[in-house]
Amino acid sequence: MAEVLTEAIGHEALAGRLAHHADAGSLAHAILLTGAPGRGGLALALNLARRLHCQAAPGQAKPCGTCPSCQQHDQLQHPDLHFTFPVAKPAGKDKALSSDQLDVWRGLLREAGPHFDMQDLRERMALGNKQPFISVHEAADILRRLSLTAHAGGWKVQIIWGAHLMRVDTANKLLKLLEEPPKKTLFVLLADSTESLLATILSRTQIIPIPPIDSGRIAEQLAAEGSEPDTVQDAVALCEGDLAQARRLVRSDAAEEFEAAIAEYRRSLPQKA
C-alpha cells in the first residue's frame, strides 16, 4: 500500500484538532471538508472514524491499532463505517448506487491510500464517457442505513466523498437527516469546493477547508514511493499541494521516459536493406 489509510500527510495538526473535539464531545454532527481530494480530506475522515470506533482511543494519542474495531478499519470492513461516492448507472440497472462499486472503492483505497481523486476513481470503475453522480436512490440508501442501530453500539459514520456531485434531489432528501441525525451519527462530506453545493447543505455543516500539502511532505512521500529525484522535483513544482496530481505527474513523466527509451532502442536497431 502506498500509504497508511489514515495518514493525514501534512495535516497532522488538523487531524489532532478533530481528534480533540471527538474526545471532548464537541464534534459537529456534520463536517464538510473542502479542497482537492489529493490534499487528504479522506485520510482525515478515516482517521476520525477510526478514533470514534477504537475501543481504546479516548485519552490516547491515537487509535490503538489492535482492538477489533481498528482491525476492521484496516480491512475497510467496519460495520458502522459507510461510504458514499459518485458512480454511474450500470448497464441493465435502474439505480446508481455506491454499493455496486464498493469493492472497487475499497480496492483503490487499499492500493493507493486515501489521496486519490475522481480521475483515479473513474479509471478504476472504467466509466468511459459516463458521468458519475450521487443519486437520489443513494440518499434513500443512506437514510435506511443510518436508521438502523449501530452494530457495535457506538458511533455510525457516514462519509460522502465527492459531495459536490450530489444532484439537487439527492441533497434535498438528506437535509432533514443532516439537520437532525440520529444520536451518535457523524456525517463527513468531502467536496472539491462549496460552489456546487446547496446553501441549505452548507448551513447544516461545519466547513473545514483543507489547505495544500506542503511541498516538502509531498517530496518525501514521492521519494518513499521510489520516484526519481528529478521527477519528484518537477512533480512537486506543478502539483499545487495535491498528492494525487503529483503521483499522476510522476507516472506521466515515467511513461514519457519509457517511450523515449523505446524509440532510442528502435533507432539503434540495424536498418533493413
Side-chain angles (χ1 to χ4, degrees), residues 34-248:
T34 63
R39 295 180 182 180
L42 183 54
L44 289 166
L46 290 171
N47 189 301
L48 182 56
R50 181 185 286 250
R51 187 169 194 88
L52 289 172
H53 289 148
C54 176
Q55 295 161 16
Q60 303 296 317
K62 58 183 180 180
C64 71
T66 58
C67 70
S69 289
C70 283
Q71 292 175 12
Q72 289 172 323
H73 270 269
D74 285 341
Q75 300 302 316
L76 298 170
Q77 296 284 356
H78 195 285
D80 295 319
L81 173 62
H82 307 291
F83 294 108
T84 290
F85 47 92
V87 296
K89 191 187 317 183
K93 293 194 175 183
D94 60 353
K95 297 178 182 179
L97 293 172
S98 303
S99 55
D100 291 331
Q101 295 282 359
L102 195 54
D103 287 343
V104 173
W105 168 268
R106 287 174 173 148
L108 180 58
L109 251 176
R110 292 189 187 105
E111 293 174 27
H115 292 75
F116 62 83
D117 59 18
M118 195 66 232
Q119 183 173 335
D120 297 320
L121 185 58
R122 283 182 62 93
E123 291 173 358
R124 188 59 67 96
M125 292 192 295
L127 293 186
N129 294 325
K130 293 181 179 178
Q131 296 303 313
F133 62 99
I134 298 176
S135 72
V136 69
H137 300 294
E138 187 75 49
D141 208 38
I142 292 172
L143 290 169
R144 178 191 60 77
R145 285 197 303 263
L146 297 185
S147 67
L148 303 174
T149 302
H151 286 75
W155 283 85
K156 292 176 285 186
V157 180
Q158 171 66 58
I159 294 176
I160 303 179
W161 187 91
H164 55 287
L165 294 177
M166 278 195 294
R167 292 188 167 175
V168 172
D169 54 352
T170 309
N172 284 332
K173 196 172 186 68
L174 290 175
L175 286 179
K176 182 172 178 58
L177 186 61
L178 281 171
E179 188 169 17
E180 299 177 7
K183 186 178 180 181
K184 282 196 167 184
T185 298
L186 173 68
F187 278 91
V188 184
L189 285 69
L190 299 102
D192 288 6
S193 70
T194 60
E195 293 177 4
S196 298
L197 289 168
L198 297 180
T200 45
I201 291 287
L202 300 178
S203 67
R204 287 164 170 78
T205 59
Q206 178 187 2
I207 303 172
I208 302 176
I210 308 299
I213 302 173
D214 179 77
S215 58
R217 295 300 303 278
I218 289 184
E220 289 174 8
Q221 183 64 30
L222 294 178
E225 294 171 10
S227 302
E228 295 295 327
D230 289 346
T231 302
V232 168
Q233 185 175 356
D234 292 341
V236 168
L238 296 171
C239 73
E240 299 181 336
D242 180 332
L243 183 54
Q245 180 65 9
R247 286 172 171 158
R248 191 171 296 114

